Amino acid sequence: MQLPDKPTLDGVEDRWAQRWEEAGTFRFDRSHERKTVFSIDTPPPTVSGSLHVGHVFSYTHTDAIARFQRMRGREVFYPMGWDDNGLPTERRVQNHYGVKCDPSLQYDPDYEPPDEPPKRHLSISRRNFVELCGRLVEEDERKFEELWRRLGLSVDWSLTYTTIGDAAQRCSQRAFLRMLARDEAYQSEAPTLWDVDFRTAVAQAELEDREMPGAYHAIRFAHADADGAVVIETTRPELLPACVALVAHPDDERYRALFGTNVLTPLFGVEVPVLAHRLADPEKGTGIAMICTFGDLTDVIWWRELALPTRPILGWDGRMLETAPISLDAAGATDNWAELTGKTVKQAQVRITELLVESGHLVADPKPITHAVKFYERGDRPLEIVTTRQWYFRNGGRDEAVREELLARGRELRWHPEYMRARYESWVGGLNGDWLVSRQRFFGVPVPVWYPLDAAGAPVYDNPLVPDEALLPVDPSSESPTGYAEDQRGEPGGFIGDPDVMDTWATSSLTPEIAGGWEDDPDLFARVFPMDLRPQAHEIIRTWLFSTIVRAHLEFGSLPFTDASISGWVLDPDRKKMSKSKGNVVTPMEHLVKHGSDSVRYWAASGRPGTDTAFDEGQMKVGRRLAIKLLNASKFALGVIGDAPTDRAAITEPLDLAMLAALSDTISDCTKAFEIFDYARSLERAERFFWGFCDDYVELVKNRAYGAAGPEGSDSARAALAIALSAIQRLFAPFMVFVTEEIWSWWQEGSIHRAPWPSTEEVSGLEGDRAVYLVAADVLGEVRKAKSDAKRSIRHAIDVATVVDSADRIDALRSAADDVKEAGRIASLSLTVGDNYLVTVELADDPAA
RNA sequence: GGGCGGUUAGCUCAGGGGUAGAGCACUUCCUCGACACGGAAGGGGUCGGAGGUUCAAAUCCUCUACCGCCCA
């Protein structure tokens, strides 16, 4: 045993992180069978910028569970992944280097970005752009790894994967091709939600509603074959040239007579029908609406169900097209159209409103309103709807049977906490279409198909050319399909590559398959899949969790993991969600340095599963205090235990046996809590026992342990202390990973993180009457209180202490009377049976008597 | 509009039929053979509100208010 003179927390993080790496403490041993493995489907953090304290929070929860399982004897498969593919990285690269991607440019192998990002972004080729993305994410990933190591995550760093790496691309493309072969992936040319800034399609899962100001514009449409007019109200007058019909509710008496008649659009004089449809809301505006292709998702439904023509007016860049989709024969129509072309939606709205005023078609001033508008969650402007060819995965959004199967998977999965299941169910229940997976972006996994070109040079989309799985990953924009030469690219009779990449979720929904080496390493895959645990935050249940279940269900007919543990958010001290835009984001490293990693972990582990938790430095200080207490209490207890061997058979004192009974209860509580992934409860139980152990038990027995009552009493106390201390250190090991390793190293061989989790077996047969510990602690507390009330030192001697209590408790106390007297410096202890618990104390005149 | 969670001490939160708890903050005291990066003690709450079940409700049930989130 080697005890430091002055124990300290200084430097424990660096010292032990390095030892763990050298010793391979957390290396996954793949020789274990599936049933002894505990595999974790780690969330790959998005590598675009910096980690924030919310990451530290949730990853600490997972790490505590990983360490518990490891100590319980499971071989833990705990990889780290980096989600580097996708838009966040592209955006970061654009800003960091001041560049933008132009796929029409040629690759420059010697390209170097400017030292200072220029104000006006430089256009570079797709391949150069992707290379810059790769360079930047490598830097970010190094910083992330440094932080994770400092935090003490027990990750096996040799298993690290990235979502843009070859293995992930191969996995993602393979899964795509298999879905294509099973007709679970398909193409469709259809109206699609579109972000005009990113110029890409967006999926339902990536939408959010934002309350935005708008205005109802009341616009008069003249009847085509009769006098008079009908007034509609719209928030989007700029879509007037895209109008294909007016619509009212079939039961709406006001408009019934108009159904089947035609009206003329103002400014453009296009004849459109007045139709009936149940989705027209009589309460909204004037109760009659114009249908445009396309203003919103209801327009899409109307367009489809009423079989209306398509009149697109918006380009992919969100500006009004050059070519009108309508005849411009009507008077003034050509001029009016010319006023709009090239304008953004916003500019067009202003101009068309002016034109409507001039022409007298705007019947009232616009009425300002606030309404929910759909945005891409990362976007800055409202989504538009444009018609494009896209790839979709069937996810139950259009198929009731598949939806039911996925709901059944949600019920099969064990959720922690249980109530999070409701989020999954409401999301799956509300799906309104299949999963749109193609993105018109660059830094992602390419859609692995080509299209043959017919004799006229037009792509034959119905007959895509697919690569052999052995050739994956492929990049169709730089590689040619089997049977074609590169010089046939773009030529009639040749081919073109699909220019799109897949949605980042289309790849990250395969993290269990990527990390587990699906098809690349079948032996590994069989040992880790389905995973035992998916830890993640609640905000991505609809995206990551759901999509992962979809993929595993379709590919394997199983869940991708059996348990999901859902972490909450970190809120700022005012209980607001932390976000970059609010400027209240806390960067973790400074707190790891300031308070110590164990202290920050303690704060994180105090957050109950699923519960949003306020960022609280106070709680970190408590963690710091706990770490120091562990240090000092261990040093002291080990000093008392000494180098002489201890023998559990020597534990005969009732107080020692009572303490061990309480320890047994604690071990049992902590274990049960961890088994249901309630790390916070486990920590709280361990902590409660530990403080009582220090305040009461150690105080009660230290004199006896030093030999005040002879060798037998000392041996009993020393052996009990050794058993308890060992268990305490291990109970805290999943949380206070550095300090527990430190104190374990003073007297034990090997890492505490590979030591067995405490078991009630360790104290079996040693559980005495719990009441002895309880009563002794109660009385000692009364004695302390008496001294404190009298403003005397805790060491002040007592002439006589009298305890009145029930017969049972007096009996229990009698068996620990000598320890109570020693700890309280009580000369005479008088025990009386009575109805009302009472402790009275007579302080000695001489404090040291 | 439907659903989920929350409301307990000044603050942050635990507890989930049997005497209201912890930490922080506050007050007072204590250097005592681990611990001043400490320790002890104390003050402080009609457990959001109203009904109900029960010998007994912070806890179970119903309604309700407010906060947050999910979905439409």
Side-chain angles (χ1 to χ4, degrees), chain A residues 671-700:
Chain A
T671 305
K672 281 182 193 151
F674 254 130
E675 282 171 345
I676 56 169
F677 302 90
D678 194 346
Y679 50 84
R681 181 185 289 260
S682 189
L683 172 59
E684 190 248 326
R685 290 294 146 94
E687 202 182 356
R688 191 192 298 172
F689 177 81
F690 175 59
W691 285 105
F693 174 81
C694 292
D695 289 350
D696 300 327
Y697 179 74
V698 172
E699 291 302 323
L700 283 164

Side-chain angles (χ1 to χ4, degrees), chain A residues 151-166:
Chain A
L151 182 63
L153 296 189
S154 60
V155 159
D156 179 349
W157 289 99
S158 72
L159 302 171
T160 303
Y161 67 90
T162 70
T163 58
I164 197 67
D166 274 1

Side-chain angles (χ1 to χ4, degrees), chain A residues 620-638:
Chain A
M620 294 176 196
K621 289 181 185 154
V622 176
R624 177 97 181 162
R625 200 167 62 112
L626 174 62
I628 290 167
K629 192 78 171 177
L630 280 166
L631 220 45
N632 287 319
S634 294
K635 186 200 162 197
F636 178 62
L638 289 172

Side-chain angles (χ1 to χ4, degrees), chain A residues 272-288:
Chain A
V272 298
V274 180
L275 303 171
H277 194 277
R278 66 197 143 74
L279 287 182
D281 182 357
E283 305 291 319
K284 218 166 161 183
T286 54
I288 186 164

Side-chain angles (χ1 to χ4, degrees), chain A residues 366-439:
Chain A
K367 272 185 301 200
I369 55 154
T370 304
H371 60 157
V373 179
K374 293 205 182 306
F375 279 73
Y376 173 41
E377 60 191 353
R378 301 179 186 280
D380 299 318
R381 283 198 278 177
L383 290 168
E384 296 297 341
I385 297 172
V386 301
T387 298
T388 53
R389 171 171 298 279
Q390 302 286 349
W391 283 97
Y392 294 84
F393 287 168
R394 298 188 197 279
N395 69 351
R398 296 174 61 185
D399 183 331
E400 199 55 40
V402 174
R403 184 183 309 220
E404 281 307 318
E405 288 166 16
L406 290 167
L407 285 168
R409 292 285 176 215
R411 290 188 291 271
E412 185 185 343
L413 182 65
R414 291 187 292 261
W415 296 76
H416 311 279
E418 174 69 31
Y419 63 78
M420 287 293 176
R421 187 195 313 273
R423 306 236 179 154
Y424 177 90
E425 301 215 327
S426 64
W427 172 252
V428 178
L431 286 172
N432 58 24
D434 280 334
W435 175 10
L436 194 167
V437 294
S438 43
R439 295 290 182 276

Side-chain angles (χ1 to χ4, degrees), chain A residues 552-597:
Chain A
H553 174 71
L554 294 176
E555 189 63 46
F556 304 103
S558 80
L559 281 173
F561 31 72
T562 55
D563 291 81
S565 64
I566 309 294
S567 292
W569 279 328
V570 176
L571 308 175
D572 74 10
D574 297 328
R575 301 206 57 77
K576 298 274 192 315
K577 190 192 171 186
M578 285 192 178
S579 69
K580 274 189 189 148
S581 57
K582 289 201 188 78
N584 59 356
V585 170
V586 173
T587 49
M589 190 54 107
E590 56 180 297
H591 292 285
L592 293 181
V593 172
K594 180 177 170 188
H595 300 286
S597 296

Side-chain angles (χ1 to χ4, degrees), chain A residues 202-531:
Chain A
V202 171
Q204 186 186 354
E206 298 168 302
L207 303 187
E208 67 183 31
D209 283 346
R210 295 185 199 162
E211 285 297 321
M212 297 292 288
Y216 272 129
H217 295 67
I219 300 172
R220 187 163 52 86
F221 282 62
H223 296 304
D225 307 309
D227 291 339
V230 59
V231 174
I232 63 105
E233 287 195 296
T234 179
T235 56
R236 304 210 54 187
E238 71 278 12
L239 296 181
L240 196 55
C243 178
V244 291
L246 300 189
V247 66
H249 195 274
D251 300 335
D252 195 331
E253 296 292 344
R254 295 170 293 179
Y255 302 110
R256 221 172 224 181
L258 295 180
F259 295 148
T261 68
N262 290 330
V263 294
L264 295 170
T265 61
L267 305 182
F268 300 98
V270 174
E271 206 167 305
V272 298
V274 180
L275 303 171
H277 194 277
R278 66 197 143 74
L279 287 182
D281 182 357
E283 305 291 319
K284 218 166 161 183
T286 54
I288 186 164
M290 70 172 178
I291 303 175
C292 303
T293 52
F294 297 92
D296 61 22
L297 293 172
T298 315
D299 279 344
V300 178
I301 296 171
W302 282 327
W303 167 79
R304 188 182 298 130
E305 296 191 3
L306 300 170
L308 296 165
T310 309
R311 290 177 186 150
I313 58 168
L314 269 187
W316 289 12
D317 57 356
R319 289 178 182 271
M320 303 293 277
L321 293 171
E322 292 295 321
T323 315
I326 50 175
S327 154
L328 296 175
D329 294 343
T334 305
D335 291 344
N336 289 334
W337 178 257
E339 289 282 344
L340 302 177
T341 56
K343 286 192 162 57
T344 64
V345 167
K346 235 176 169 171
Q347 294 163 343
Q349 182 174 104
V350 171
R351 188 64 191 125
I352 205 163
T353 305
E354 291 164 359
L355 294 172
L356 287 165
V357 170
E358 287 165 23
S359 68
H361 287 98
L362 194 73
V363 302
D365 287 337
K367 272 185 301 200
I369 55 154
T370 304
H371 60 157
V373 179
K374 293 205 182 306
F375 279 73
Y376 173 41
E377 60 191 353
R378 301 179 186 280
D380 299 318
R381 283 198 278 177
L383 290 168
E384 296 297 341
I385 297 172
V386 301
T387 298
T388 53
R389 171 171 298 279
Q390 302 286 349
W391 283 97
Y392 294 84
F393 287 168
R394 298 188 197 279
N395 69 351
R398 296 174 61 185
D399 183 331
E400 199 55 40
V402 174
R403 184 183 309 220
E404 281 307 318
E405 288 166 16
L406 290 167
L407 285 168
R409 292 285 176 215
R411 290 188 291 271
E412 185 185 343
L413 182 65
R414 291 187 292 261
W415 296 76
H416 311 279
E418 174 69 31
Y419 63 78
M420 287 293 176
R421 187 195 313 273
R423 306 236 179 154
Y424 177 90
E425 301 215 327
S426 64
W427 172 252
V428 178
L431 286 172
N432 58 24
D434 280 334
W435 175 10
L436 194 167
V437 294
S438 43
R439 295 290 182 276
Q440 290 64 56
R441 302 299 311 179
F442 317 106
F443 193 55
V445 178
V447 174
V449 302
W450 298 263
Y451 306 103
L453 298 178
D454 64 16
V460 184
Y461 288 113
D462 293 343
N463 190 23
L465 304 163
V466 300
D468 190 278
E469 280 191 15
L471 299 174
L472 301 178
V474 298
D475 178 9
S477 62
S478 64
E479 296 166 54
S480 44
T482 306
Y484 290 81
E486 188 56 33
D487 63 7
Q488 289 177 278
R489 183 182 294 273
E491 299 296 319
F495 70 94
I496 55 164
D498 191 305
D500 290 349
V501 298
M502 284 188 262
D503 171 16
T504 187
W505 295 114
T507 298
S508 57
S509 57
L510 295 165
T511 49
E513 290 84 352
I514 296 167
W518 174 49
E519 295 291 351
D520 286 353
D521 188 346
D523 174 76
L524 176 66
F525 195 63
R527 294 172 200 274
V528 301
F529 187 91
M531 300 266 174

